[in-house]
């Protein structure tokens, strides 16, 4: 399933980059990047997003306390009394 999703993203990037071949420049406040083709910019953005998405959950999972598993015999012992 993951491979299918990844392949569809790659196909979408390929189609968009062929249709939009004109170079673009990113502008953020007063900063402006060099002009690069849309497909390169889109591929770079998807790659950075995948990398951040793979790394970001690691610190969150490390901070989360691990729940202890309930003892199945604990409830059984209470029923006997």
């Amino acid at each position: 399933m993951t491979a299918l999703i990844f392949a569809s993203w790659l196909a979408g990037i390929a189609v968009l980059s062929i249709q939009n071949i004109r170079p673009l420049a990113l502008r953020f406040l007063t900063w402006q990047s060099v002009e690069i083709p849309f497909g390169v910019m889109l591929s770079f953005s998807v790659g950075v997003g995948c990398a951040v998405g793979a790394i970001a959950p690691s610190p969150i999972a490390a901070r989360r306390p691990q729940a202890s598993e309930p003892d199945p015999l604990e409830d059984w012992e209470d029923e006997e009394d």
Side-chain angles (χ1 to χ4, degrees), residues 58-78:
S58 298
I60 294 170
R63 275 191 292 151
R64 187 180 312 161
Q66 297 293 326
S68 61
E69 293 186 24
D71 186 12
L73 296 178
E74 186 174 309
D75 290 336
W76 183 69
E77 290 172 356
D78 290 340

Side-chain angles (χ1 to χ4, degrees), residues 4-56:
L4 183 64
I5 292 170
F6 190 70
S8 65
W9 270 103
L10 286 178
I13 289 171
V15 168
L16 282 173
S17 64
I18 294 297
Q19 291 177 352
N20 300 302
I21 203 100
R22 188 176 41 143
L24 300 173
L26 288 178
R27 292 184 193 149
F28 180 72
L29 299 176
T30 60
W31 179 79
Q32 182 174 344
S33 71
V34 296
E35 290 190 354
I36 55 176
F38 179 73
V40 173
M41 189 180 306
L42 186 62
S43 299
F44 180 72
S45 299
V46 168
V48 169
C50 287
V52 169
I55 294 171

